[in-house]
Amino acid sequence: MTHRISGVSRVSRTSGRTRVVAVGIGAGMVLSSAVGAFAPAAVAAPPTVSCTSGQAGLAEKLKKDITAALAKRKGTVAVGLYDRVTKTTCTLRGDMAYDSASVVKVTVLAALLWDAKKTNRYLTDRETKLATAMITKSDNASTSTLWKQLGMKKIKGFLTAAKMTQTKPGANNYWGLTQITVRDEQRLLALLTAKNTVLSDNSRAYVLKLMNQVVSSQRWGTPAGAPSTVKVHVKNGWLSRATHGWRVHSVGTFKGGGRDYTITVLTHGNADMKYGVNTIQGVAKAIHKDLVPVTTSASTQRYVPTDQPREATVPVPEAAGTTGG
């Protein structure tokens, strides 16, 4: 009997130890999970400029200089660069969406020309007048007229043909709230600067001609620092809203000096328009300097944009913002 009691006693003590150990393991797991739950999440590193090039050393130089130009700038900036001659590409936040403001006007004109090409017709005198005002003066009324004339079906049709799959047209005729990305803007500029099946050669030449004739007060942004040997084509936009502060954008194509390149810079979170303009122009100056370095006195003249940049006021819902261009 003593043995049995002793046996029971031994078993009980063993089970007790087992239970204590089990509880200890469980507590450790709970404690470990709790610590993991309350541990601070790792902060994702901000995206960096990515460059590739067929010219030795150019990608590294561009990455360094674009990064330096943005080092002390506030706001959120997206950059796209492509040079057809050296097969050079640079990208920063290529897929991030921004409100388009007036930059979308190039897309509107391209869609109009694409649609006209499908029926093998020229633009009418009325359409030509509207297109000229829309691009060279950034006229909003002309843009609204053409936007409504095209309608959402044709606008989306062009975006599909152009493979601008990230671009989302603004609803309720608020074309200035179209969502754009660097990737898609660079796709559009590529269509304007090389032969393709989406836009005819005459259409491409027409868009570039108007972008070269933009009024002086709106020729800021990506042309900053372009050498005199390079022909400039530009379209800009700005928009101030309750969220993300000032959006300030610039797209441009540049040809000459042995180069054929496109630049897109999109920004938001700027304190005011001038701050965004200065950010864009800092990036542009670095790109032009690296792509077309000054080698002789004959090419020392570089493009200095207006110190009083202007844009038209883009219509947006009153509840969501104030002014823009």
Side-chain angles (χ1 to χ4, degrees):
M1 182 175 290
T2 302
H3 176 73
R4 284 197 299 274
I5 293 173
S6 175
V8 170
S9 178
R10 284 196 297 270
V11 170
S12 297
R13 285 195 297 271
T14 303
S15 299
R17 286 195 300 271
T18 303
R19 284 195 298 274
V20 171
V21 171
V23 170
I25 292 172
M29 291 173 67
V30 172
L31 180 60
S32 175
S33 298
V35 170
F38 289 101
V43 178
T48 59
V49 179
S50 173
C51 295
T52 61
S53 179
Q55 180 174 312
L58 183 56
E60 293 79 4
K61 185 168 180 56
L62 280 163
K63 178 177 180 178
K64 177 184 176 182
D65 291 345
I66 294 172
T67 300
L70 293 172
K72 297 181 180 180
R73 306 306 293 178
K74 297 178 181 178
T76 305
V77 184
V79 178
L81 162 68
Y82 177 65
D83 174 43
R84 193 169 279 109
V85 176
T86 58
K87 305 301 181 192
T88 298
T89 301
C90 288
T91 306
L92 172 65
R93 296 188 179 93
D95 299 323
M96 184 171 183
Y98 291 77
D99 293 331
S100 67
S102 288
V103 165
V104 77
K105 293 170 182 176
V106 180
T107 299
V108 175
L109 178 53
L112 178 67
L113 293 164
W114 168 79
D115 183 60
K117 176 176 178 282
K118 289 200 304 179
T119 54
N120 196 31
R121 71 173 183 87
Y122 292 105
L123 296 188
T124 65
D125 290 342
R126 169 183 164 277
E127 289 171 332
T128 299
K129 183 177 180 180
L130 292 170
T132 300
M134 176 174 68
I135 301 298
T136 64
K137 299 178 182 178
S138 205
D139 184 73
N140 292 323
S142 298
T143 309
S144 295
T145 299
L146 291 173
W147 182 271
K148 291 174 184 176
Q149 173 183 315
L150 285 164
M152 202 56 62
K153 183 177 180 180
K154 289 181 179 179
I155 291 169
K156 289 184 176 179
F158 168 72
L159 293 174
T160 298
K163 298 182 179 179
M164 295 170 64
T165 57
Q166 294 179 332
T167 301
K168 310 301 178 187
N172 302 317
N173 293 317
Y174 288 116
W175 42 262
L177 296 183
T178 296
Q179 298 297 289
I180 61 173
T181 66
V182 157
R183 190 193 76 172
D184 273 11
E185 290 303 297
Q186 287 292 98
R187 284 184 185 275
L188 176 60
L189 296 180
L191 288 177
L192 297 179
T193 54
K195 196 174 187 69
N196 60 84
T197 58
V198 180
L199 296 173
S200 69
D201 291 348
N202 286 340
S203 294
R204 296 190 299 105
Y206 179 63
V207 178
L208 292 175
K209 181 184 81 169
L210 295 184
M211 290 175 69
N212 179 251
Q213 295 174 351
V214 167
V215 295
S216 59
S217 62
Q218 296 179 16
R219 293 176 68 82
W220 46 268
T222 50
S228 57
T229 52
V230 171
K231 191 169 185 179
V232 170
H233 314 88
V234 66
K235 186 70 194 83
N236 300 320
W238 58 261
L239 173 65
S240 175
R241 306 194 77 205
T243 57
H244 298 306
W246 286 77
R247 297 100 164 111
V248 187
H249 313 315
S250 181
V251 299
T253 81
F254 308 89
K255 190 168 185 177
R259 297 288 183 265
D260 181 4
Y261 55 109
T262 62
I263 303 174
T264 296
V265 187
L266 310 178
T267 77
H268 67 210
N270 300 291
D272 53 37
M273 179 185 177
K274 185 176 181 180
Y275 189 90
V277 170
N278 288 340
T279 296
I280 293 170
Q281 294 186 166
V283 172
K285 289 174 182 176
I287 291 173
H288 292 303
K289 175 178 63 70
D290 290 349
L291 275 181
V292 194
V294 172
T295 55
T296 67
S297 59
S299 61
T300 56
Q301 279 193 327
R302 290 191 176 271
Y303 181 77
V304 179
T306 176
D307 58 0
Q308 294 184 319
R310 303 290 182 192
E311 253 296 345
T313 301
V314 166
V316 295
E318 290 184 8
T322 52
T323 59

